Amino acid sequence: MGSAFPVPQSPAALAAALARTGYLADDGLATAGYLAIRLGRPVFLEGDAGVGKTSFATALAEATGATPIRLQCYEGLSAAQALYDWDFPRQLLHLQAVRAAGLDADPATLEAELYDRRFLLARPLLAALTTSPCVLLVDEIDRADDEFEAYLLEVLADAAVTVPELGRIAAEYPPVTVLTSNRTREVHDALKRRCLYHWLDHPGLDREIAIVRSRLPGISARLAEQVAAATARMRALELLKPPGVAEAIDWAAALDTLGATELTAELAAATLGAVLKYREDTDRVRAAAILDPGAEP
């Protein structure tokens, strides 16, 4: 099966294309993305919340000009909800139009008309199979049930689905698929074996500074450095939810909105709600006295 996906020349070329969208990927992630495109294999990204797993798929689509399609997983998600549905109101209107016109349609013919492709509502999985080039993001697969995980494995393996009323629908060009997991539960080995795997960790200090400045070009260099350093100090504590890159960017944006050009202890304390999401974490950070911008990261 071929590919209509624009293939970068190397992992470095992909990293450069991602950087132009504002996403700074390290060598390991750029290599995983490159191999996913070249080999036609899904890439499975695990890591703490907020490290950039979801953003990678979005940036990959933007960098390559592909269509992004997202399937957000949750407990109880069924194959039907992820795959397709029939447009019942339009089917009913069609039936009423046939009757209003006084047409004596053969029942079998009328049924075939009602289950025509034009009445099919494509949910994310089917949309990804019929769109090319496409980046399919299966976000937080660890939140879905085992049954859906098994069905997804079959869809990814065959790049095709069967709609009983229409038959088999196969992708002419399979989507580039990115699966993410926050590791709230272990995903089955069968799905992981089908994928290329990459653990996405929190960035180092220098790269986080670069990420913040890339996402917020107008921010002062001093403020970006201080926010990244303070966020790194928070991650060293035993927090319920250590802040990710997304929270560091939100914090920097909040401070910049307030007109800050550097981080002070008073500003840090006043804006903790942009970076910490639990009262217990806020209390622990304040008690640890790490909000002093001069503290070591």
Side-chain angles (χ1 to χ4, degrees), residues 237 266 268-273 276 279-291:
L237 301 176
E266 293 76 15
T271 55
L272 274 181
L276 299 175
R279 189 190 68 183
E280 295 87 345
D281 288 348
T282 301
D283 292 343
R284 190 168 290 123
V285 165
R286 285 177 172 152
I290 64 169
L291 294 179

Side-chain angles (χ1 to χ4, degrees), residues 80-97:
Q81 291 168 319
L83 187 57
Y84 73 91
D85 203 353
W86 290 103
D87 192 342
F88 178 73
R90 286 191 63 206
Q91 288 175 315
L92 186 59
L93 285 173
H94 178 73
L95 184 60
Q96 290 173 341

